[in-house]
Amino acid sequence: MDGFVQAGPVLGNPFADDPLLQAYLRWRLPADLQETLAPGLLAFGQRMVDEVQGLGRQAESHPPRLVPYSAWGERIDQIEISGAWKRLRDIAAAEGLVSIGYQRAEGAFSRLHQFARLYLFHPDSAWFTCPLAMTDGAARAIEEFGDDQLKDRALSHLLSRNPEQFWTAGQWMTERSGGSDVSRTGTTARKQGGTYLLTGSKWFTSATDSPVALTLARIEGAAPGSAGLSLFYVELFDETGRLRNIRIERLKDKLGSRAMPPAELILEGTPATLVGDKSHGVRKMASLFNLTRLHNSVAAASSMRRALSLAKDYAARRQAFGRPLIELPAHAETLACMQVEWEGNFHFAFHLALLLGRQEAGEAAEGEAALLRLLTPVAKLYSAKQAVAGVAEAMESFGGAGYVEDTGIPALMRDTLVLPIWEGTTNVLALDVLRAMERDGAFEPFVEDVSLRLRRVKAEPLLESARRVRRALEALQEGRKRMDGSEPEYAEAMARSFAYGLARVYTGSLLLEFASWLAADGAHGTDPRHLRAGSVANRWCRENLFTLPEADLAHRKASAAILREKP
Ligand code: UCC
């Protein structure tokens, strides 16, 4: 019998093993702050290996369960969750995975610090990063729109580092009529004394084991459409722990993120507090979902990194055709492409965290708010697609083993597949990109920002790439003019390609700026790392940065004709 046993991939401390994250923090943070934060990140990374990986696996294998009735027939609708999931929540609280962003101890860099931690936590956390994203978004919307009473009540829990005090928040936006077009929301709100009572059904509620949630409802008599919706804060349980006029119809039987309990709910006069003034609830909810979309981008970069580190480690251990896989040119090329795509997405996501931190600290430069508004959907839609492609590629690189459940790789694939779906699908976000350009004038700051970044690129080996990005930027400007001057349907048909173009151009400029910094930085002048960063940037920029496909009326008619035939 052949006694050969293949050694599986091994994961180390995700901070210690991530030179890109370390270099990025050296680049962006003041030296003293970087030195202060690094030991904490290293220790947190070790906690992933020692504790969180095991908890994530346990939570995944003990999914939540709905208990509709007590032993004696009383309707109780309790969601039972695993001890591991509860422990993940306690760790998240104690490590400040939400509160760091609000305590702002690191000023404009607080979001960078927070998202560095979330990036380390995500792939081991069995998607506990979903409730954390929702909690972060709820805290932000309440901070922005809530009155003092609501802020005192809710933020003291949502931002607590004490596991006994900490609350996660859910988000209930999706109804049967749609998760994308929320203007058709049917839930109504009736005023009773100082509170509102909500009646309706919610088709997909996220993080439903949370004690509080933000949701949309139409106050009786309010206008139809999304402007007539208002934003509400709900506390799900009364003092005895019973649901407040909420029925849980069922938990969603999802493809992935199995430790997490989204549900279908019926609201039967559920007490709720209005957040801010009446109406324009979608605009207020945007404060939540713009933040959860950034969480999504960081989770995408984190998932890509996890998949790549598994694939690379395995490629060094696994022999085929007389060599380790990593030495086989075709395989090495595939892995290198994955690495370039991951590094680009990493830069894009972390740059948004930097912009957000600056904005919240009141240190944003002119145009940066509009830029962040535009780049948020761009990063979400692009990174989610790239993460799905990257994780699928990593899965394939394991051959049949990647398709086998107990390697953990199928779970990683399943969990990644939700990234393009929740918090806005690719096309919905591409349309949001148009909205940001039209309503917030965000394209001009984008052009200025990329141009400024390209002017900082001085190193000779990067100049050709800088020229390529400049040409692609001009193509985007040309495309924008064409979209502006055409019927709206042309712009909508082109929105996805255009958004991809924005993502690739912007990321190219960030990679070039980073490589330039490494090349110019005295500490790295002789370090070959700056050469490899240059190779990453050049490879990114050699690819198809942006071209706008022709999509005139004839093209649209052709699309309709193509679709006419059954698949
Ligand atoms: O359903 C879901 C669950 C899926 C499964 C999840 C699996 C669970 C496991 C997960 C574990 C990981 S998720 C779906 C969540 N839904 C969304 O993310 C919403 C997607 N739809 C959109 O984003 C749309 O673009 C809408 C809803 C925002 C479109 O709304 P409207 O009302 O039709 O469009 P308007 O009229 O353009 O926008 C209304 C207002 C405007 O402001 P005012 O009131 O001043 O006119 C907009 O400028 O909202 C403003 N607005 C924004 N503001 C719209 N979008 C934004 C934005 N992104 N930022 C700022």
Side-chain angles (χ1 to χ4, degrees):
M1 191 178 103
D2 176 8
F4 175 74
V5 176
Q6 176 61 48
V10 175
L11 292 169
N13 178 326
F15 182 72
D17 286 356
D18 192 339
L20 178 60
L21 175 60
Q22 292 173 36
Y24 188 84
L25 296 178
R26 269 201 309 281
W27 180 32
R28 291 307 200 188
L29 295 176
D32 55 341
L33 184 55
Q34 187 269 327
E35 278 167 29
T36 310
L37 294 182
L41 290 167
L42 186 66
F44 186 57
Q46 195 53 42
R47 200 166 186 188
M48 299 306 108
V49 182
D50 296 341
E51 195 177 359
V52 174
Q53 273 173 19
L55 289 171
R57 277 196 296 270
Q58 281 174 42
E60 177 84 8
S61 56
H62 295 87
R65 192 171 76 94
L66 177 64
V67 183
Y69 294 98
S70 76
W72 310 105
E74 185 190 4
R75 182 94 195 219
I76 51 172
D77 286 1
Q78 276 178 5
I79 299 176
E80 273 185 9
I81 49 171
S82 66
W85 186 250
K86 290 180 194 156
R87 184 79 194 113
L88 288 165
R89 182 183 57 206
D90 293 353
I91 291 172
E95 295 281 354
L97 297 188
V98 179
S99 66
I100 289 171
Y102 295 82
Q103 287 165 345
R104 302 192 178 119
E106 292 90 24
F109 300 105
S110 302
R111 286 293 189 179
L112 205 52
H113 178 203
Q114 179 198 5
F115 278 101
R117 284 182 173 247
L118 286 161
Y119 174 76
L120 297 174
F121 188 61
H122 173 70
D124 292 319
S125 75
W127 256 117
F128 198 82
T129 39
C130 169
L132 294 178
M134 296 302 163
T135 308
D136 200 349
R140 189 156 188 253
I142 290 168
E143 192 183 53
E144 201 171 338
F145 300 109
D147 59 22
D148 287 345
Q149 202 182 346
L150 179 58
K151 281 187 208 168
D152 285 349
R153 167 82 185 157
L155 296 183
S156 61
H157 291 285
L158 300 179
L159 304 181
S160 177
R161 278 181 177 242
N162 177 352
E164 300 294 315
Q165 297 288 318
F166 181 58
W167 287 351
T168 54
Q171 178 257 83
W172 309 342
M173 194 156 47
T174 299
E175 298 199 356
R176 281 168 192 256
S177 51
S180 297
D181 179 5
V182 300
S183 67
R184 294 166 64 198
T185 293
T187 300
T188 56
R190 185 162 51 80
K191 186 116 196 249
Q192 190 175 78
T195 191
Y196 285 86
L197 301 180
L198 307 187
T199 303
S201 65
K202 298 289 174 182
W203 179 243
F204 227 123
T205 60
S206 55
T208 316
D209 56 326
S210 300
V212 298
L214 289 191
T215 191
L216 293 170
R218 198 177 307 281
I219 295 174
E220 282 179 340
S226 77
L229 295 171
S230 296
L231 183 63
F232 289 93
Y233 164 85
V234 176
E235 289 192 4
L236 278 72
F237 303 99
D238 66 17
E239 311 69 45
T240 65
R242 298 168 73 90
L243 284 167
R244 294 180 203 260
N245 304 339
I246 298 171
R247 239 176 338 117
I248 302 178
E249 290 287 84
R250 56 178 164 168
L251 298 184
K252 292 292 193 185
D253 184 8
K254 299 174 271 78
L255 173 68
S257 60
R258 288 184 178 165
M260 229 259 300
E264 289 169 28
L265 304 181
I266 306 288
L267 310 180
E268 300 170 317
T270 306
T273 305
L274 186 65
V275 182
D277 54 4
K278 291 179 193 170
S279 69
H280 294 291
V282 174
R283 192 203 296 160
K284 296 187 189 84
M285 191 65 118
S287 160
L288 176 152
F289 61 62
N290 281 336
L291 187 49
T292 55
R293 288 171 184 175
L294 168 55
H295 276 259
N296 210 75
S297 303
V298 172
S302 175
S303 305
M304 287 169 99
R305 179 186 179 272
R306 168 56 51 90
L308 184 62
S309 43
L310 288 169
K312 278 173 76 178
D313 189 77
Y314 184 70
R317 296 169 191 275
R318 173 79 170 168
Q319 301 265 341
F321 309 110
R323 284 192 278 178
L325 295 185
I326 193 100
E327 289 177 17
L328 298 170
H331 197 61
E333 199 54 27
T334 302
L335 293 175
C337 287
M338 288 162 67
Q339 175 121 7
V340 170
E341 205 60 51
W342 160 61
E343 293 196 21
N345 279 281
F346 169 93
H347 274 279
F348 200 175
F350 275 83
H351 189 67
L352 292 196
L354 193 67
L355 288 180
L356 176 65
R358 280 216 283 263
Q359 191 187 30
E360 290 178 339
E363 293 179 21
E366 201 190 331
E368 272 188 8
L371 187 65
L372 179 61
R373 168 74 186 88
L374 175 69
L375 294 179
T376 299
V378 171
K380 196 282 188 183
L381 72 85
Y382 185 77
S383 64
K385 284 290 206 212
Q386 296 316 114
V388 168
V391 174
E393 194 69 76
M395 186 180 212
E396 185 181 338
S397 81
F398 282 88
Y403 203 63
V404 170
E405 196 60 39
D406 58 5
T407 61
I409 296 163
L412 179 61
M413 184 76 254
R414 286 196 298 268
D415 287 358
T416 304
L417 281 164
V418 78
L419 290 168
I421 296 173
W422 77 313
E423 302 312 283
T425 58
T426 308
N427 284 345
V428 165
L429 291 166
L431 298 179
D432 191 46
V433 168
L434 299 185
R435 188 191 278 113
M437 292 194 294
E438 279 154 22
R439 297 198 196 170
D440 299 80
F443 186 62
E444 291 68 28
F446 174 90
V447 173
E448 276 169 34
D449 194 73
V450 173
S451 305
L452 177 72
R453 221 169 284 290
L454 293 178
R455 283 201 292 278
R456 292 193 193 126
V457 177
K458 302 278 187 234
E460 221 287 318
L462 303 173
L463 292 179
E464 176 52 28
S465 291
R467 280 192 285 276
R468 284 177 200 263
V469 176
R470 205 164 284 123
R471 283 198 295 276
L473 182 64
E474 284 161 10
L476 280 169
Q477 287 173 287
E478 192 50 44
R480 169 93 181 107
K481 256 192 244 149
R482 242 199 292 160
M483 286 157 84
D484 251 356
S486 316
E487 52 180 66
E489 292 211 346
Y490 172 78
E492 288 189 22
M494 289 303 95
R496 184 192 281 228
S497 308
F498 193 78
Y500 278 26
L502 291 170
R504 296 201 67 81
V505 163
Y506 201 77
T507 307
S509 76
L510 290 171
L511 286 169
L512 287 170
E513 192 191 10
F514 176 65
S516 291
W517 170 77
L518 275 177
D521 184 45
H524 297 98
T526 54
D527 184 340
R529 219 177 298 157
H530 81 270
L531 297 176
R532 79 162 286 291
S535 301
V536 169
N538 284 335
R539 196 171 279 213
W540 182 281
C541 297
R542 265 203 306 275
E543 291 186 9
N544 190 10
L545 279 169
F546 177 68
T547 49
L548 191 68
E550 290 294 333
D552 52 16
L553 206 58
H555 178 99
R556 287 194 17 81
K557 278 191 182 150
S559 299
I562 290 167
L563 287 176
R564 209 167 294 136
E565 212 147 280
K566 281 187 181 161

